[in-house]
Amino acid sequence: CSGPCGSIPFQPSAQQHCCRPCAMVEVHIPKKGIWGRLVPPPKEEQEDLPDNLQLLRATEYHEVAAIANLERSNGELEAVLQCEEDEDFRLAIVENLSILAQKR
């Protein structure tokens, strides 16, 4: 890949992102036997939450609704399990509980 600044193509390592060539500086001084690459450290992961208050409230509304749906689904699955055993329903409850733990 090559960056928008016209840098030369390169193969990103597992720690680098494809867009990193624009920030990379190659150093090559043949007479002194110096060569290398200077690459800034990767940026820290940022929160995916929006800065806009209306978008943040919409995200909150969506997540609250998703949590309510998962809780309702678990209640319905548990009601069916009281009448008859179903391995898939048990697995669904476990998965839902895992997702709920992440969302909370």
Side-chain angles (χ1 to χ4, degrees):
C1 107
S2 63
C5 63
S7 62
I8 60 172
F10 87 114
Q11 307 260 319
S13 71
Q15 295 175 343
Q16 295 173 325
H17 299 289
C18 185
C19 61
R20 297 304 280 178
C22 297
M24 180 185 72
V25 176
E26 286 194 10
V27 178
H28 185 66
I29 306 173
K31 290 182 180 180
K32 298 207 178 215
I34 299 173
W35 61 273
R37 291 183 180 179
L38 301 173
V39 180
K43 293 181 181 178
E44 292 182 20
E45 293 295 322
Q46 295 182 357
E47 200 56 41
D48 290 333
L49 295 175
D51 291 333
N52 180 299
L53 183 58
Q54 289 177 327
L55 292 175
L56 189 59
R57 285 186 176 152
T59 301
E60 176 191 26
Y61 176 81
H62 172 76
E63 291 299 316
V64 167
I67 288 170
N69 286 335
L70 284 170
E71 289 173 338
R72 179 188 46 76
S73 176
N74 273 2
E76 292 171 357
L77 290 168
E78 288 172 355
V80 171
L81 287 173
Q82 289 179 356
C83 298
E84 63 183 85
E85 184 58 35
D86 188 300
E87 187 178 325
D88 291 333
F89 285 5
R90 289 248 179 245
L91 180 61
I93 289 173
V94 170
E95 290 173 356
N96 286 351
L97 290 173
S98 173
I99 293 169
L100 283 168
Q102 292 173 5
K103 288 188 174 289
R104 290 183 177 146

